[in-house]
Amino acid sequence: MLFCSEVLSPLLHLMATAVFDVRKEVAYALGNLCVTPMVGSVRIPEPILEHLTVLIDRGCLLGFISLVRSPDLEASRLGLQFLELVLRGLPNGQGTKLVEKVDGIAAMEALEYHENVELRNMANELTDRYFGEDYGIEEEYGPGIMEVVKGADDVSDYPPWRKGGITNS
């Protein structure tokens, strides 16, 4: 109901133009509009794809990226939580492409050695899970490359101990 009201446009405008403290509060509101309420013992709220898509289409992802880059720990955490929602919630890898397009990977990597352990772990876990070492390899080298790469290990002339295998000698 709130999502369909006339509140969304002013919130998006504030997210893009307001002072930092207001943007942070707006980010809470926008983030909460994109998830189902937590019921019972459910620990991770489910994304509401329609709401998430509308907000992203209207340009709010950049605002959340700027929160990730913020020196404010709470704002950075909030930005990372929204990025996680985008990465997890959008189907067919759309989330990874969108986050990469708006320089979200660099924003998360900037927290790789952050002094705050929680932020560092959140950023590293998102980067590893969604942008691991195999991310984008099929786009660069074509479909089927992963089978070739994985199969290359099996046909090598290296003995098992060189490939990390354990030998019983």
Side-chain angles (χ1 to χ4, degrees), residues 70-129:
S70 160
D72 183 284
L73 299 179
E74 185 181 351
S76 292
R77 184 177 307 108
L78 180 59
L80 286 172
Q81 288 170 342
F82 191 81
L83 289 183
E84 190 273 335
L85 190 62
V86 169
L87 292 166
R88 179 171 51 97
L90 294 180
N92 303 321
Q94 293 173 7
T96 55
K97 290 178 178 108
L98 282 171
V99 170
E100 181 180 25
K101 184 178 177 181
V102 295
D103 213 19
I105 298 172
M108 289 186 287
E109 286 177 342
L111 298 174
E112 184 175 8
Y113 300 106
H114 197 277
E115 63 187 23
N116 182 283
V117 175
E118 182 184 1
L119 280 181
R120 181 176 61 232
N121 289 343
M122 282 177 71
N124 290 340
E125 200 251 315
L126 287 175
T127 305
D128 290 346
R129 182 186 305 163

Side-chain angles (χ1 to χ4, degrees), residues 138 141-150:
E138 287 193 355
Y141 295 103
I145 189 67
M146 290 310 297
E147 288 77 24
V148 172
V149 170
K150 289 178 183 172

Side-chain angles (χ1 to χ4, degrees), residues 45-66:
E46 288 298 313
I48 302 173
L49 184 58
E50 178 186 354
H51 295 186
L52 190 58
T53 304
V54 167
L55 291 181
I56 290 169
D57 288 346
R58 305 244 339 241
C60 80
L61 192 53
L62 286 173
F64 282 97
I65 296 290
S66 71

